[in-house]
Amino acid sequence: MSSIGQLCGLLGLAALATASYSNRPDYARRFPYAAPYDQSFLGGYSILKHVGGLGPYSNRMSYGIGRDPPDGCVVDQVIMIKRHGERYPQGSDGVKIEAALDKLYSSKITEWKGDLTFLNSWEYYVDSEGLYGLETDTGPYNGLLTTYKHGAEYRVRYGHLWDQNSNKTVPMWTAEFERVVQTARKFGEGFFGWNYTDSVALNVISESADMGANSLTPVCPDDHLTQTCKSLSQDLPAFRVAADRLNRQNPGLDLNSTDIYQLMFMSVFELNVRGYSDWTDAFTMDEWKWFGYTQDLLFYHCAGPGSQFAKAVGAVYANASLKLLTQGPEKAGTMFFNL
Ligand SMILES: *[C@@H]1O[C@H](CO)[C@@H](O)[C@H](O)[C@H]1NC(C)=O
Ligand SMILES: *[C@@H]1O[C@H](CO)[C@@H](O)[C@H](O)[C@H]1NC(C)=O
Ligand SMILES: *[C@@H]1O[C@H](CO)[C@@H](O)[C@H](O)[C@H]1NC(C)=O
Ligand SMILES: *[C@@H]1O[C@H](CO)[C@@H](O)[C@H](O)[C@H]1NC(C)=O
């Protein structure tokens, strides 16, 4: 015990001796054992890292431009783009999901075993067709709540840009798609308060392809990549391994790799609805990593930097934003919320 006490004393001195170095985080000086660099990289086993853009929002602390302005500066204009929060699967995906579930249940297994034991009591979370495609409104990751909190957080950060007493209507923009309009409303309530409709005029922009690049959902008529991307193979070796395992544990079951993909896809959205999914543990971390990879490929090549068309249509938005920033807050306005 006493040697530990002495060690503390020595380290305390060492910390004091270096306290005058300026290029150190402030907390490094406060406690003798405070390590200036975090030695943990958390969340390696979190399912949320392997669900692409389908599941609950996830964040990280890393490099890039900090959001807080430097000392002595304030933000005087803000331009934000977001589409929606956590949601239910699309109707078109619902068809594929239900086909996979039908295949599961048509095996007529009466007592599920092994990794699928939970199926003895599990029920699908979409209990009405009408829910497909909507923002979720239940559970800890519910999309409407995420979006409300986003608005409320922006009020804290950028509330100084809103003059409540000016009687001036603040324009907001949204794309003409039900869940996206719902998102805009929730964001508006989060930022402007419950009577936000008194303060905001919501401009609803058509999603029609004939808007070309002049919308919040721009498209290029010559973009044929999307079809290529949509037909990326889901028949991956890791999913065959999963199918073999579940079939072996449950004689009579005849799942294949693409059924596994559909079931994993389905279960990710269960997180958006219920906050947990019994399916998560039916698959191994290796299988989830491959699932995440399918999403990374899709988004990179079809909706991200891997697509030449994404750059072309995104440039219009970037350009318009630059113009507003160049004009400045007095001429152009202070807040541009696009959802
Ligand atoms: C806003 O409108 C109200 C009601 O018309 C009026 O009494 C008030 O003076 C206006 N405020 C400003 C800052 O123009
Ligand atoms: C919102 O409601 C509050 C409380 O009734 C009121 O004081 C405020 O003026 C309203 N805001 C707007 C923009 O109408
Ligand atoms: C798996 O089975 C479904 C029909 O149950 C079929 O549509 C699909 O092509 C099969 N996948 C593979 C990789 O054979
Ligand atoms: C960006 O704006 C500039 C000047 O307004 C214009 O010349 C250019 O064509 C625009 N580019 C895009 C991609 O919209």
Side-chain angles (χ1 to χ4, degrees):
M1 283 313 261
S2 73
S3 69
I4 290 174
Q6 277 169 8
L7 192 61
C8 289
L10 281 175
L11 286 175
L13 278 178
L16 278 179
T18 54
S20 59
Y21 288 14
S22 59
N23 188 23
R24 304 194 67 183
D26 187 49
Y27 60 77
R29 295 179 210 124
R30 288 196 199 141
F31 308 102
Y33 280 126
Y37 302 105
D38 190 356
Q39 289 167 286
S40 54
F41 293 84
L42 300 172
Y45 290 90
S46 169
I47 181 67
L48 301 190
K49 294 290 174 199
H50 307 291
V51 297
L54 307 173
Y57 176 72
S58 61
N59 202 357
R60 66 166 184 173
M61 306 283 276
S62 188
Y63 39 76
I65 302 173
R67 288 204 296 183
D68 296 324
D71 281 350
C73 301
V74 288
V75 172
D76 63 1
Q77 273 181 306
V78 57
I79 301 178
M80 187 275 289
I81 190 163
K82 169 197 184 90
R83 187 161 162 82
H84 54 74
E86 290 80 353
R87 63 167 172 86
Y88 281 92
Q90 303 272 38
S92 54
D93 290 325
V95 173
K96 295 181 224 161
I97 289 172
E98 289 183 22
L101 290 176
D102 282 350
K103 189 161 171 183
L104 198 69
Y105 289 122
S106 68
S107 66
K108 304 263 192 300
I109 289 171
T110 49
E111 199 195 335
W112 295 95
K113 301 228 170 70
D115 294 328
L116 295 182
T117 303
F118 70 91
L119 277 180
N120 292 314
S121 56
W122 184 82
E123 279 174 21
Y124 187 33
Y125 54 86
V126 181
D127 47 23
S128 147
E129 289 276 303
L131 291 171
Y132 281 124
L134 293 186
E135 200 97 332
T136 57
D137 59 358
T138 54
Y141 305 117
N142 100 57
L144 288 181
L145 180 62
T146 304
T147 306
Y148 182 85
K149 286 199 288 195
H150 185 179
E153 184 200 328
Y154 265 39
R155 176 66 175 276
V156 173
R157 283 187 172 275
Y158 309 116
H160 63 279
L161 300 179
W162 179 38
D163 178 3
Q164 284 195 65
N165 301 315
S166 74
N167 287 354
K168 260 197 226 154
T169 304
V170 180
M172 274 182 29
W173 291 267
T174 188
E176 191 176 20
F177 198 82
E178 187 173 359
R179 68 166 171 265
V180 182
V181 177
Q182 290 171 345
T183 300
R185 290 189 178 132
K186 270 294 164 227
F187 180 90
E189 286 173 28
F191 189 97
F192 297 97
W194 62 270
N195 51 351
Y196 89 104
T197 47
D198 296 331
S199 316
V200 171
L202 190 56
N203 298 277
V204 182
I205 314 288
S206 166
E207 292 206 316
S208 165
D210 60 24
M211 296 283 285
N214 190 20
S215 83
L216 290 168
T217 45
V219 290
C220 256
D222 283 342
D223 184 356
H224 305 302
L225 283 180
T226 316
Q227 272 323 104
T228 316
C229 292
K230 277 186 181 151
S231 52
L232 285 173
S233 177
Q234 292 149 2
D235 175 23
L236 302 183
F239 300 160
R240 285 182 224 150
V241 170
D244 287 348
R245 180 179 65 250
L246 302 181
N247 291 343
R248 204 171 50 242
Q249 292 172 350
N250 293 277
L253 193 60
D254 186 25
L255 299 178
N256 64 30
S257 55
T258 50
D259 299 325
I260 294 294
Y261 173 86
Q262 285 307 331
L263 293 170
M264 294 176 94
F265 183 92
M266 179 275 299
S267 76
V268 168
F269 288 91
E270 187 170 15
L271 301 174
N272 297 349
V273 178
R274 292 182 170 149
Y276 63 90
S277 174
D278 291 325
W279 287 93
T280 306
D281 292 335
F283 305 108
T284 64
M285 186 50 80
D286 186 54
E287 288 151 13
W288 278 115
K289 279 191 193 295
W290 280 101
F291 181 84
Y293 183 61
T294 64
Q295 299 306 301
D296 295 346
L297 277 185
L298 188 74
F299 279 88
Y300 184 86
H301 291 290
C302 291
S307 161
Q308 55 188 327
F309 301 106
K311 277 182 207 161
V313 291
V316 179
Y317 181 86
N319 216 23
S321 300
L322 180 63
K323 192 170 170 192
L324 296 171
L325 294 173
T326 310
Q327 286 177 344
E330 284 82 24
K331 185 151 181 244
T334 55
M335 295 179 292
F336 302 89
F337 298 138
N338 308 283
L339 299 112

